[in-house]
Amino acid sequence: MREALIVWGGWSGHEPQECAHIIKGILQEEGFKVYLENTTEAFADPSIHDLSLIVPIMTMSKIEKEEAKNLAAAVENGVGIAGYHGGAGDAFRECVEYQFIIGGQWVAHPGNIIDYTVNVTRPD
């Protein structure tokens, strides 16, 4: 069975706990056994190397050097990593190693914060 780890926390404006539970449900529907953690200490656990997928939902958080090192090693050895909005791209701003894992870093909203319209064409 495929196993996934969702690590949530950080800025509450992105509703990390609620989002983690949404993603957990989606992954379970796809046949994953899902673990939820709300601390970056989970990234230091050697067992993450046995997972299929890691989903960080940690906007504007901090990560310890050893946690980032173990996470990087897991991804380098084939564990998937899934970005989730600012929970991935705006996490661990001070950790360059993490930015390389994700492939970038959030910098700012283009045009600052602007009003826009979303047209839902397929509500299902």
Side-chain angles (χ1 to χ4, degrees), residues 16 21 67 73 121:
H21 285 279
E67 295 167 349
T121 60

mmCIF file of all heavy atoms in Angstrom, residues 16 21 67 73 121:
data_model
loop_
_atom_site.group_PDB
_atom_site.id
_atom_site.type_symbol
_atom_site.label_atom_id
_atom_site.label_comp_id
_atom_site.label_asym_id
_atom_site.label_seq_id
_atom_site.Cartn_x
_atom_site.Cartn_y
_atom_site.Cartn_z
ATOM 1 N N PRO A 16 -3.965 25.586 7.388
ATOM 2 C CA PRO A 16 -3.206 24.351 7.143
ATOM 3 C C PRO A 16 -3.860 23.080 7.679
ATOM 4 O O PRO A 16 -3.825 22.054 7.006
ATOM 5 C CB PRO A 16 -1.865 24.617 7.814
ATOM 6 C CG PRO A 16 -2.129 25.706 8.808
ATOM 7 C CD PRO A 16 -3.234 26.533 8.228
ATOM 8 N N HIS A 21 -6.572 17.987 6.079
ATOM 9 C CA HIS A 21 -7.636 16.985 6.127
ATOM 10 C C HIS A 21 -8.306 16.802 4.760
ATOM 11 O O HIS A 21 -8.702 15.685 4.409
ATOM 12 C CB HIS A 21 -8.644 17.335 7.217
ATOM 13 C CG HIS A 21 -8.111 17.048 8.585
ATOM 14 N ND1 HIS A 21 -8.121 15.793 9.139
ATOM 15 C CD2 HIS A 21 -7.514 17.850 9.496
ATOM 16 C CE1 HIS A 21 -7.566 15.826 10.335
ATOM 17 N NE2 HIS A 21 -7.186 17.069 10.582
ATOM 18 N N GLU A 67 16.358 18.241 9.863
ATOM 19 C CA GLU A 67 15.058 17.897 9.280
ATOM 20 C C GLU A 67 15.095 18.086 7.766
ATOM 21 O O GLU A 67 14.658 17.217 7.011
ATOM 22 C CB GLU A 67 13.966 18.772 9.893
ATOM 23 C CG GLU A 67 13.748 18.530 11.368
ATOM 24 C CD GLU A 67 12.900 19.578 12.046
ATOM 25 O OE1 GLU A 67 12.614 20.643 11.457
ATOM 26 O OE2 GLU A 67 12.510 19.339 13.207
ATOM 27 N N ALA A 73 17.174 14.009 1.487
ATOM 28 C CA ALA A 73 17.671 12.663 1.183
ATOM 29 C C ALA A 73 16.517 11.743 0.775
ATOM 30 O O ALA A 73 16.651 10.943 -0.161
ATOM 31 C CB ALA A 73 18.417 12.094 2.389
ATOM 32 N N THR A 121 -16.759 26.933 -14.051
ATOM 33 C CA THR A 121 -17.464 26.382 -15.209
ATOM 34 C C THR A 121 -17.842 24.931 -15.028
ATOM 35 O O THR A 121 -18.699 24.426 -15.740
ATOM 36 C CB THR A 121 -16.608 26.535 -16.489
ATOM 37 O OG1 THR A 121 -15.380 25.838 -16.304
ATOM 38 C CG2 THR A 121 -16.343 28.010 -16.784
#
